[in-house]
Structure formats: structure tokens, C-alpha cells
Amino acid sequence: PNFIVISGYDNLFIEREIMENGASYYMLKPVDIHVVCDRIMSFSGHVKANPPSLSDLQKPSEDLESIVTDVILNIGVPAHVKGYHYIRQAIMLSIKDPNMINAVTKILYPTVAKIYETTSSRVERAIRHAIEIAWDRGDVDTLNSYFGYTINTGRGKPTNSEFIAMISDKLRLQLKRNGSKVI
């Protein structure tokens, strides 16, 4: 079974424990009931999740974490793997500071590792694993909407840095175009 944990307590350790123990999604209060309904419907398989539209990105109530979370869930990164949290954090860091993507192993991984109290190599491995799962199980149309034909077809899936760079760049441009104060 899939389950969603909704909490008013914002603690990274507890969130990590909840996700590692099988939660499908962790949300902080206050929550939009429509987002909860969408998650339940997508987990149950009744509704195919769609990538966030530009109108979704224009909602002032949406914060950067929510936007990034929607994108990576729609791509097919499962919320119960460690790489999910690392990818989300890496994308948010890359949106806020585009230079981070130019130094993935020297700056980005160590920054994420420090936040989650782990090592850079574990962050890299977990992200790679999450991307492999998304590429194996994810919806092809959704993957193409984000990555198109920019990925080397010989490898079949993007590298960690390609994955993070493409999503963060696309979101940064959309947010900039919308004049969002999220960044």
C-alpha cells in the first residue's frame, strides 16, 4: 500500500525516517487538498500524473520545493528512495545558484551530503539509482517532455549532472518568465 504522511512538524531527520520506512509522500501543513487528491489518484493509478503546467508554476502559494517535488514525481522518481531527496535538494540548489551545476562533484554533492549528514559518494550513487528507476518505470511521454532528444540514445538515460541541469534550467527559465519570487 501507498501512504502519504501529512505533518506540521518540519524536521529533516523525521522526514527521512518516514520516507525510508515506506511512505510514498511526505507533505507539510498547510496542504492544498487538491494536491493531496492528485497524489492519491496518481498513486492509485486512476489518473495519469501530468507535468506541472505554466499556470501551476504561477500560483503564488507554490514554493520552490513543491514545484520541484511535483516535477520529479511526475518524471517517475519514487519518493521512497534516498536519491529522491538528494535529487530534490540538488535541483533546488542548482536553481538558486546556477554555478553549482558546473561543479557537481566538487560543490553540489558535498553540499547535499552535508545537509543529509552523509557522504558525497553516497549522494551520487543514490541519485544515479533513483534516475535508473525513473528511466525504467517512468512514463515515456513525461520523460520526453522534460528531456526530449537531448539525451545520448546509446546510454538511454541521462547522467546525474544532465538530469539535474536540465530540470533545474527548465524550471529556472519558467519561473523567471513568470516573474516568480520563488527563487
Side-chain angles (χ1 to χ4, degrees):
N2 291 315
F3 63 96
I4 298 171
V5 174
I6 301 173
S7 174
Y9 191 66
D10 187 10
N11 181 295
L12 211 48
F13 175 76
I14 290 175
E15 179 182 352
R16 188 174 5 175
E17 287 294 313
I18 288 170
M19 296 306 292
E20 287 176 359
N21 285 297
S24 300
Y25 202 75
Y26 182 84
M27 301 175 90
L28 287 175
K29 292 179 182 177
V31 295
D32 181 351
I33 192 66
H34 298 294
V35 173
V36 175
C37 290
D38 288 346
R39 293 292 171 263
I40 292 169
M41 296 301 280
S42 69
F43 289 146
S44 66
H46 293 295
V47 173
K48 182 175 143 184
N50 294 319
S53 66
L54 289 177
S55 62
D56 291 338
L57 294 175
Q58 291 173 330
K59 294 177 185 172
S61 63
E62 293 261 32
D63 62 6
L64 181 58
E65 188 173 11
S66 298
I67 294 167
V68 173
T69 298
D70 286 344
V71 169
I72 62 177
L73 284 172
N74 286 325
I75 287 173
V77 177
H80 69 281
V81 297
K82 287 182 183 180
Y84 165 86
H85 297 286
Y86 301 159
I87 288 172
R88 180 173 60 191
Q89 191 66 49
I91 291 170
M92 290 188 310
L93 289 168
S94 298
I95 288 172
K96 292 176 183 175
D97 182 4
N99 292 322
M100 280 206 160
I101 204 64
N102 297 326
V104 174
T105 56
K106 299 241 187 247
I107 298 174
L108 188 59
Y109 291 158
T111 304
V112 173
K114 186 175 182 180
I115 292 168
Y116 287 95
E117 299 174 358
T118 188
T119 65
S120 295
S121 61
R122 287 182 180 165
V123 169
E124 181 180 10
R125 251 191 328 272
I127 289 175
R128 185 171 46 246
H129 176 68
I131 292 170
E132 287 172 4
I133 292 172
W135 231 252
D136 290 342
R137 301 181 191 173
D139 179 55
V140 175
D141 294 332
T142 303
L143 291 169
N144 283 335
S145 74
Y146 283 96
F147 300 98
Y149 299 103
T150 59
I151 303 304
N152 182 339
T153 54
R155 279 196 321 269
K157 62 184 174 294
T159 64
N160 291 6
S161 58
E162 285 174 326
F163 186 90
I164 294 165
M166 292 187 73
I167 293 173
S168 61
D169 191 49
K170 187 170 189 169
L171 289 177
R172 186 183 320 100
L173 291 173
Q174 286 178 341
L175 292 168
K176 187 177 180 180
R177 213 174 316 137
N178 295 334
S180 175
K181 303 286 185 208
V182 171
I183 302 173

